[in-house]
Amino acid sequence: MALTGPALAQTRPVAARASAQALKASGATVPTMSPARTTGRGRLAAEPVHLRTLSKTDASRALAQAGFGPDAVRYGVDLYRLLYRTVDAEGRPTVASGLIVLPRNGERRLRMVSFTHGTQSYKEDAPSIGEDDFSSAPAITFGSAGFAAVTPDYLGLGEGPGTHPWMDVPSETTASLDMLRAARVFMAREGRTPQRRVLVTGFSQGASAALGLARALQDGADSSYRLGAVAPISGAYAFRDAEIPALLAGGEINPKMAVAYTTYLLVAWNRLHHLYDSPTEVFKAAYADKVDRLFDGTTPGPEMLDALPDSLDQLLTPRGLDLLRHPSGPFAKALKAADGTCDGWVPRAPIRLYYSAGDEQAVTANTEHCRDAFHANGVDLTPIDLGPYDYEGSRHLGTAVRGTAAIVDWFAHLPA
């Protein structure tokens, strides 16, 4: 999940910039939606913004500074922000933003990679906005290797309006699919064309999103694209049966991360599924009046973490703890939907699952549940352990670094 899914992992300090200032500086604005302008999912909603050009040397340096390996770098890249039309979690028209990275290699027809990122709670940490290269490093990795790489910010992050519906696979899927459509429109303007087969990957929260997108592409959600391969990294595929028990038990998951993820889950899903009438029902008084603000997209990650307690017992009321221990009603229904990304389908394209044993945010049991679900449908799948590599003290974030390196190499060797 990584804050960045279970990992609000992007709590690394990022220079704070006001959203309004970022919009003004970029020249992009979120258009007022009117009935006459609510059609056309995947159409551009504003002029694309050229963020920066990186030479081959610059790309290698940016990746090294972000902690990612530069071994796959073959070309310089251009980074652009797209604002595009999509639908929200209720199916209503809205807009979302995302990052596209194109190689400076002169090729007109490019292989497509969709990378869906891990958990972020602050709008300006999104890949198309943030100044922290960790968020954009996977897309830069794929772009500099010669792919056209797209990374949706998801709903409510980056320049998207409203709040982010965290771990809501259906809206992650539509935002990712419409980002691919927007990329096709933008690339045509640049005289370039995406190949039909999309190579799909994602990390943490983005691992479930990647599987949602992969399934949609295989099911024919867009006639211009089809699934080429799928390779999720360190996902929270089994929240009810793996992640929540680990959150409650302690030991496997970093306690502060457990508090952050639990709060994000309850706040975001209450907006979607009405789990409680008042925060005071599930959060203790010292935090009940803070949680909505902490996860409305305007609070930087370090500030959010500082405002939360160090344990679930300090955070939750008896009812809140009972909700986690014995999910029922709308919460149980929502968990079943979130945990269904590996169930009931057989990928007709190559698939790999990546993880690391000892992950302190997305516990290994998540990947085991996903593997077992695919096995039940006859898919011969052995998850790939990326080994004990920690990034800034986090095994979970380390899987993003090692997984991206492994996947760009795998994708490069797949038939075009």
Side-chain angles (χ1 to χ4, degrees):
M1 301 180 309
L3 265 149
T4 220
L8 279 163
Q10 305 310 86
T11 54
R12 304 169 69 237
V14 175
R17 296 172 294 156
S19 297
Q21 290 175 333
L23 283 166
K24 182 177 180 181
S26 70
T29 58
V30 176
T32 302
M33 303 299 288
S34 65
R37 301 175 64 191
T38 56
T39 59
R41 284 178 48 187
R43 291 175 56 190
L44 297 176
E47 281 300 307
V49 177
H50 182 247
L51 300 172
R52 51 181 168 154
T53 294
L54 300 177
S55 68
K56 180 179 177 181
T57 299
D58 292 335
S60 296
R61 185 181 298 115
L63 291 174
Q65 289 175 345
F68 284 70
D71 292 349
V73 175
R74 296 173 57 201
Y75 308 105
V77 292
D78 287 296
L79 285 72
Y80 301 86
R81 182 190 307 126
L82 305 183
L83 189 71
Y84 61 96
R85 301 188 188 281
T86 187
V87 291
D88 67 14
E90 302 297 327
R92 298 169 299 202
T94 187
V95 294
S97 57
L99 173 70
I100 181 169
V101 179
L102 298 180
R104 298 176 65 84
N105 61 358
E107 295 290 333
R108 295 300 179 186
R109 193 164 181 267
L110 296 172
R111 301 178 73 188
M112 296 292 292
V113 172
S114 172
F115 177 87
T116 38
H117 65 79
T119 299
Q120 295 168 338
S121 61
Y122 184 45
K123 283 179 177 288
E124 295 188 32
D125 284 348
S128 79
I129 300 290
E131 293 181 351
D132 183 347
D133 280 335
F134 191 94
S135 294
S136 57
I140 293 173
T141 298
F142 290 112
S144 63
F147 300 93
V150 297
T151 299
D153 293 335
Y154 305 138
L155 297 178
L157 294 174
E159 293 187 352
T163 56
H164 173 52
W166 185 61
M167 291 297 292
D168 180 55
V169 176
S171 66
E172 292 164 359
T173 300
T174 54
S176 300
L177 181 63
D178 291 339
M179 177 68 188
L180 284 170
R181 291 166 170 156
R184 185 171 65 231
V185 173
F186 170 69
M187 289 173 66
R189 291 171 51 163
E190 298 294 304
R192 308 181 88 168
T193 304
Q195 290 190 16
R196 189 179 179 199
R197 294 170 66 249
V198 181
L199 305 167
V200 178
T201 181
F203 164 61
S204 196
Q205 174 187 0
S208 292
L211 286 171
L213 175 62
R215 191 169 187 171
L217 290 171
Q218 179 166 292
D219 289 345
D222 189 295
S223 61
S224 296
Y225 290 120
R226 64 182 176 91
L227 179 62
V230 56
I233 310 166
S234 303
Y237 314 110
F239 236 102
R240 178 164 186 162
D241 293 328
E243 194 66 25
I244 288 178
L247 290 169
L248 290 168
E252 281 190 276
I253 296 180
N254 175 287
K256 196 73 170 185
M257 289 294 98
V259 168
Y261 286 128
T262 299
T263 309
Y264 207 173
L265 179 69
L266 294 176
V267 169
W269 283 21
N270 187 59
R271 293 170 182 150
L272 290 174
H273 309 295
H274 191 72
L275 307 183
Y276 50 83
D277 291 325
S278 169
T280 57
E281 297 173 27
V282 295
F283 298 104
K284 289 187 175 178
Y287 306 102
D289 63 346
K290 301 178 181 179
V291 291
D292 281 310
R293 175 184 59 81
L294 293 177
F295 291 94
D296 68 359
T298 65
T299 304
E303 182 180 326
M304 174 273 293
L305 286 177
D306 287 345
L308 291 173
D310 295 327
S311 71
L312 290 181
D313 287 340
Q314 294 173 303
L315 174 73
L316 298 177
T317 65
R319 180 183 171 187
L321 288 168
D322 187 65
L323 183 64
L324 293 182
R325 290 172 179 147
H326 308 289
S328 61
F331 190 41
K333 184 178 180 181
L335 285 170
K336 183 177 180 180
D339 292 347
T341 55
C342 307
D343 296 330
W345 71 296
V346 175
R348 295 192 295 272
I351 178 171
R352 292 183 176 181
L353 295 180
Y354 292 87
Y355 77 105
S356 283
D359 191 317
E360 85 289 355
Q361 296 186 48
V363 296
T364 301
N366 284 290
T367 298
E368 293 170 347
H369 276 263
C370 187
R371 174 203 63 199
D372 292 346
F374 278 120
H375 281 181
N377 286 304
V379 181
D380 184 12
L381 180 63
T382 300
I384 298 170
D385 189 342
L386 293 162
Y389 175 73
D390 291 358
Y391 175 89
E392 295 194 354
S394 169
R395 181 70 49 84
H396 186 64
L397 289 181
T399 67
V401 175
R402 281 202 168 174
T404 298
I407 291 165
V408 71
D409 181 69
W410 182 46
F411 283 175
H413 287 89
L414 290 173

